[in-house]
Amino acid sequence: MLRTITKTLVGAVFAGGLLVPHAFAETTLNALFMAQAAYSEADVRAMTDAFTKANPDVKVNLEFVPYEGLHDKTVLAQGSGGGYDVVLFDVIWPAEYATNKVLVDVTPKITDDMKKGVLPGAWTTVQYDGKYYGMPWILDTKYLFYNKDILEKAGIKTPPKTWEELGAQAKIIQDKGLLKTPIAWSWSQAEAAICDYTTLVSAYGGDFLKDGKPDFQNGGGLSALKYMVDSYKSGLTNPNSKEFLEEDVRKVFENGDAAFALNWTYMYNMANDPKDSKVAGKVGVVPAPGVTGISEVSAVNGSMGLGVTAVSKHPDEAWKYITFMTSQATQNQYAKLSLPIWASSYDDPAVTKGQEELIAAAKLGLAAMYPRPTTPKYQELSTALQQAIQESLLGQSPPEDALKTAAQNSGL
């Protein structure tokens, strides 16, 4: 079991030729992060080292888990009577965490300068019921990445602006024998699939809830799942997409085995790194497409925040660490895998240089971010939807029936 420890270290200093005992307290914080998209583990460790150098009286123990373990690790640690001081949390969890008192309400600590400096959309990541439960840290949505070389060989001049056009371009690539299955998605039975589904729900103008009740089984929600199933059955989508998470999609794309892929910001610079990627220098990125007559672009809010847990014995030091990690100086320094939350950062050449194409896509994508439902019962709803998507992809249930069942099992 993790514990927050405060220990007194006794040293000695010379004063006037005499040996004088000198005591100082070292506070140890335990922090939980994600080993997946956005900032790399090396980045988080480097940021934390900079913090501890500036604050030598604070030590930070870092723990990294896959995204899929982040929620349960946080919640279980709370119940154990020990746990973490600082946790990374997804935009979908503040409702549950606030209701169950997992995170501290930090509303009084959010300054006017913070409110003015951070992009307005980023604050939705940490808010629930008018209160703030942390600082936004990862500002993210899924973009459409494309292989410029493959599109050029196929005679395609510009990337798709609609989802229908994406299918048509993938068919051209397939027919010309350039790739067997040109599209890669992360449709594993996990939150990753919900993020791709939400992107499509936003494109088709759907609603997850209406008057607090499920509505994804109708209209745009149903159209989104039908599109996924049609793409899968058409043979244009990599059949392994039903087991892929985002890292699998990245590896397939970097190997040159996908012409199109939906993924988070971090893939842009990783796929452009010639050390690990076969497609370096050939990576294009645009906002996820829209649907004719309904939307120009589509986007899911995949942002994340850092919060102080209710069980932390060192909330002040924990908040100091969070404000350092989310500061503009820190974020600008590490802007290659996750774009800053600070509005003025986008005018800084140090942030924009070498990723102008990504930032052009971000200006449209981030402005169009569509939320997953804000409800304390989100985990139940997500699990039901994940099952519906899998059953539909596998042909076990038509999209209409699968989504009606998910609505009944959503807990709402």
Side-chain angles (χ1 to χ4, degrees), residues 94-171:
E96 177 194 346
Y97 284 5
T99 303
N100 297 333
K101 296 183 169 53
V102 174
L103 293 177
V104 172
D105 174 5
V106 293
T107 306
K109 295 180 181 289
I110 305 297
T111 66
D112 286 342
D113 284 345
M114 287 174 174
K115 287 177 183 174
K116 289 174 191 168
V118 171
L119 288 161
W123 286 117
T124 61
T125 311
V126 299
Q127 285 175 314
Y128 178 65
D129 204 19
K131 294 176 180 175
Y132 297 79
Y133 289 90
M135 275 293 287
W137 189 46
I138 296 167
L139 184 63
D140 215 350
T141 190
K142 284 197 165 185
Y143 300 95
L144 182 69
F145 292 86
Y146 63 98
N147 184 313
K148 292 180 177 180
D149 193 39
I150 292 174
L151 264 66
E152 189 179 336
K153 285 176 182 174
I156 298 167
K157 303 291 185 192
T158 55
K161 288 189 165 59
T162 67
W163 288 106
E164 185 181 10
E165 198 178 356
L166 172 71
Q169 291 189 5
K171 187 77 169 68

Side-chain angles (χ1 to χ4, degrees), residues 39 113-114 116-119 135-137 322-335 338-348 351:
Y39 297 115
D113 284 345
M114 287 174 174
K116 289 174 191 168
V118 171
L119 288 161
M135 275 293 287
W137 189 46
I322 287 171
T323 54
F324 180 90
M325 296 292 277
T326 60
S327 69
Q328 189 166 15
T330 300
Q331 288 216 307
N332 286 4
Q333 191 178 347
Y334 295 92
S338 186
L339 295 174
I341 60 172
W342 303 90
S344 62
S345 293
Y346 295 84
D347 300 321
D348 184 343
V351 171

Side-chain angles (χ1 to χ4, degrees), residues 317-379:
E317 291 87 347
W319 181 247
K320 191 174 185 181
Y321 175 58
I322 287 171
T323 54
F324 180 90
M325 296 292 277
T326 60
S327 69
Q328 189 166 15
T330 300
Q331 288 216 307
N332 286 4
Q333 191 178 347
Y334 295 92
K336 296 300 179 191
L337 294 181
S338 186
L339 295 174
I341 60 172
W342 303 90
S344 62
S345 293
Y346 295 84
D347 300 321
D348 184 343
V351 171
T352 59
K353 189 178 179 184
Q355 50 183 13
E356 292 83 359
E357 197 175 340
L358 172 65
I359 285 171
K363 283 181 178 175
L364 295 171
L366 295 176
M369 286 196 300
Y370 189 86
R372 285 163 283 171
T374 302
T375 168
K377 293 187 174 179
Y378 180 81
Q379 293 302 110

